[in-house]
Amino acid sequence: MKPRILLTGKNGQVGFELHRLLLALGQVVAPDRYALDLFAANSIRRTVRDVRPQLIVNAAAYTAVDAAETDQVNAHAINAEAPAILAEEAKKIGAALVHYSTDYVFDGSKKVPYEEKDPTNPINVYGKTKLAGEQAVRSSGVPHLIFRTAWVYATRGRNFLLTILRLATEREELKVVCDQIGAPTCAADIAAATTKILADIYSQNNEAPAFSKVMGTYHMTAAGQTTWYDFAKAILDEASHAPQVLSRFAAATQGRPLLARRIIPILASEYGSRTRRPAYSVLSNSRLAQTFDMALPDWRNQLQHCFAS
Ligand SMILES: NC(=O)c1ccc[n+]([C@@H]2O[C@H](COP(=O)([O-])OP(=O)(O)OC[C@H]3O[C@@H](n4cnc5c(N)ncnc54)[C@H](OP(=O)(O)O)[C@@H]3O)[C@@H](O)[C@H]2O)c1
């Protein structure tokens, strides 16, 4: 039997990709924020009770890292309280929960990839609210998978890739932070990995207890690491080698040609953001590989694929 799946965040970067892929797994009910407002506890409870899913995939989140600093109530509601309610309601009806979290639960003081068991210590509001969401899911006792990912981009939505392409059509020179290290991860790869893992679980047993064997927190990012500066250089490299594909990014470029000739590395301290971000947030994906025999491609390959597909 195929599971009935309640998917949140279907218009987000990861949610959009999941919406297409999860259809192969089961019946997908994917309300947008007007049909299911995660700020409203009653809306969440009513939707879960009406849909009665066997699986909830929560791809919705408050992801505006800078805005979260001054909009803590909303960020906490969407990132911490909503997952707590989803977990509670899922547990009541025997459903399982897939939830996403972030590399920003760490403070960035490590110099080698973070493992799942490493102590968390978020240094901004977004990271704190996401950590609270994780903790709520874990402590609810619901069968769950929490996938921590990082530096997410896609051909749609709001992300670094599209910002760089837009700026590159507006300016000859871009300044990009060179002292923060992470792993840019394409939303399509996150969705594909999630769907494959779920397909394996449901091919064995479509009941929630199948989750019990593997339930827990996993890092799920592109392999490799880079800086925002080198990521920006790679984006412009891809764009200048394949100008014909720029039409796919028309929302960012408005059909304009690339102007940017130079990218200047700057320090995060020179960038002028008041939001603290970890200097190093590379995640080790070993646990994902060991448990699910799953490895996401290297960040550079993911970027090439994003431009090529
Ligand atoms: N973006 C990143 O760089 C990044 C990095 C690490 C981890 N993550 C995590 O990865 C997951 C997916 O992120 P993403 O980049 O795909 O997010 P995204 O593109 O920002 O999409 C977020 C989704 O959440 C929905 N949403 C926000 N507030 C809502 C509300 N009150 N009620 C219902 N829906 C609401 C949005 O709806 P609308 O479409 O209507 O706005 C959107 O569909 C999240 O858990 C995020 O924390 C993201």
Side-chain angles (χ1 to χ4, degrees), residues 19 25 37 56 62 73 75 77 79 114 120 155 173 176 192 195 199 223 251 272 295 298 300 303:
H19 194 202
L25 201 68
D37 180 2
I56 299 175
Y62 187 112
V73 171
N79 290 345
Y114 280 95
T120 51
T155 53
E173 194 174 273
V176 183
T195 306
D298 180 83
R300 197 68 171 81
L303 182 65

Side-chain angles (χ1 to χ4, degrees), residues 115-151:
E115 297 186 6
E116 288 82 351
K117 61 178 168 36
D118 281 327
T120 51
N121 182 31
I123 57 174
N124 57 37
V125 170
Y126 169 72
K128 285 178 186 156
T129 59
K130 291 296 294 183
L131 178 60
E134 282 188 9
Q135 288 166 338
V137 170
R138 279 192 286 269
S139 62
S140 70
V142 73
H144 67 268
L145 293 169
I146 297 172
F147 296 126
R148 283 187 190 141
T149 189
W151 294 29

